[in-house]
Each structure stands twice: as C-alpha cells, then as structure tokens.
Amino acid sequence: MPVLTEARIREDYCRAAPALLSALTDYLIVSRRQANDLDRQLVLLIIMLRSAMARGFADLPSEKVLSGDLDALPTLWTNIRSIADSTSIPRETVRRKVNDLIKDGLVKRSGQLLTITPRAFPDSRFVVDKFIRLAAVSHATVEKLVENDAPPGV
C-alpha cells in the first residue's frame, strides 16, 4: 500500500506539494526556533524515535506522554555513534548536542546508551503540535488524492 500511495503522490505532486510543503516548513521553523539549532533538534528526534519504537510505547496514554506525567518511557536506547552514522552529523557535534540535551534534562545517559526523558515531550510541545499538524495535513492531502481516483458514488 505505501508504494501505491507514494506513486499516487508522485503522480500528483504538483497538487499535493503546497499543503505538504507548508506543513513541513511550519514544522521545521518551529523545530529550529525551539532548539535554535536543527542538528540538536534532529538528535533529539532520533532519541525520541527510539522510545516511540519501543515495545509498550504505543500502549501508553498519549496525554500522559505529551504532558510528561510518567516516571520513565520505554526505550530501545541509542548511542552517539549510531546517531552520527545515521545522520552524517560529525560524531563530535552529536556528542556536544547530546551533552546539551542531558544538561537540559531531555536526555539521559546510562554508560554509552542514551534515552529520552519524559520531560522531552512537554518541553517539545510546540514541535509535537506541528508534527501532529504535519501528519494530519499529509493524511488529508493523500486522502483527497485517493478520493479523486474513486469512481462516483464510492
């Protein structure tokens, strides 16, 4: 299904682009404002992703995650090297960004392993709100493209 959806978006890219690019641009602007540094924000997002991918995360009450009202979050852990390798951000830069995130209480370290703290989500609430908007706009835009393909009356 995702391959068909990607093909459909590619086919009608010019119709979908304004809505998708607008939502993505808003998300990046707020991300940059929040962190004043897109590399730092990307490092934080990757560490957040490792929690979001962990078993049990999807079953958590969203309001508790987004408010930071939990003692800990599930995690798949990550490390500086993995983040540097996946983003092409130099390892030393990732190390500095991680140290800043730890100092700000958004990330914690256990040996070489990194995880997000529950505080990271409420502290990133404007970014999370823009991400939710990006997801909603993307869904609505793709849904509209697919509806235009549906035969009348379906």
Side-chain angles (χ1 to χ4, degrees), residues 116-135:
I116 204 75
T117 66
R119 178 178 161 190
F121 286 94
D123 278 18
S124 299
R125 70 185 171 281
F126 299 116
V127 175
V128 170
D129 287 348
K130 289 298 182 179
F131 177 73
I132 291 169
R133 179 179 178 270
L134 172 62

Side-chain angles (χ1 to χ4, degrees), residues 1-129:
M1 182 69 162
V3 173
L4 293 174
T5 302
E6 286 179 29
R8 185 70 185 101
I9 294 168
R10 185 175 313 281
E11 181 180 313
D12 269 340
Y13 177 77
C14 293
R15 285 188 19 213
L20 297 176
L21 290 172
S22 174
L24 178 59
T25 301
D26 286 349
Y27 171 74
L28 290 172
I29 288 169
V30 169
S31 291
R32 184 173 185 279
R33 278 188 194 138
Q34 171 106 18
N36 201 22
D37 178 341
L38 280 177
D39 281 351
R40 175 188 153 120
Q41 190 65 22
L42 182 56
V43 168
L44 179 62
L45 289 171
I46 289 170
I47 300 170
M48 282 179 155
L49 173 62
R50 296 301 288 166
S51 279
M53 293 170 65
R55 181 189 315 207
F57 186 86
D59 299 325
L60 294 172
S62 293
E63 70 278 356
K64 287 192 176 271
V65 171
L66 296 177
S67 70
D69 192 22
L70 295 169
D71 293 330
L73 294 168
T75 187
L76 294 179
W77 299 92
T78 192
N79 60 44
I80 288 171
R81 181 183 187 146
S82 175
I83 295 168
D85 289 348
S86 67
T87 62
S88 298
I89 299 171
R91 196 175 307 168
E92 180 57 27
T93 301
V94 173
R95 186 192 63 74
R96 282 194 315 272
K97 305 302 178 190
V98 164
N99 287 339
D100 288 345
L101 291 165
I102 290 170
K103 184 177 72 179
D104 292 345
L106 304 178
V107 169
K108 74 177 183 177
R109 182 190 321 254
S110 179
Q112 299 284 323
L113 301 176
L114 306 168
T115 190
I116 204 75
T117 66
R119 178 178 161 190
F121 286 94
D123 278 18
S124 299
R125 70 185 171 281
F126 299 116
V127 175
V128 170
D129 287 348

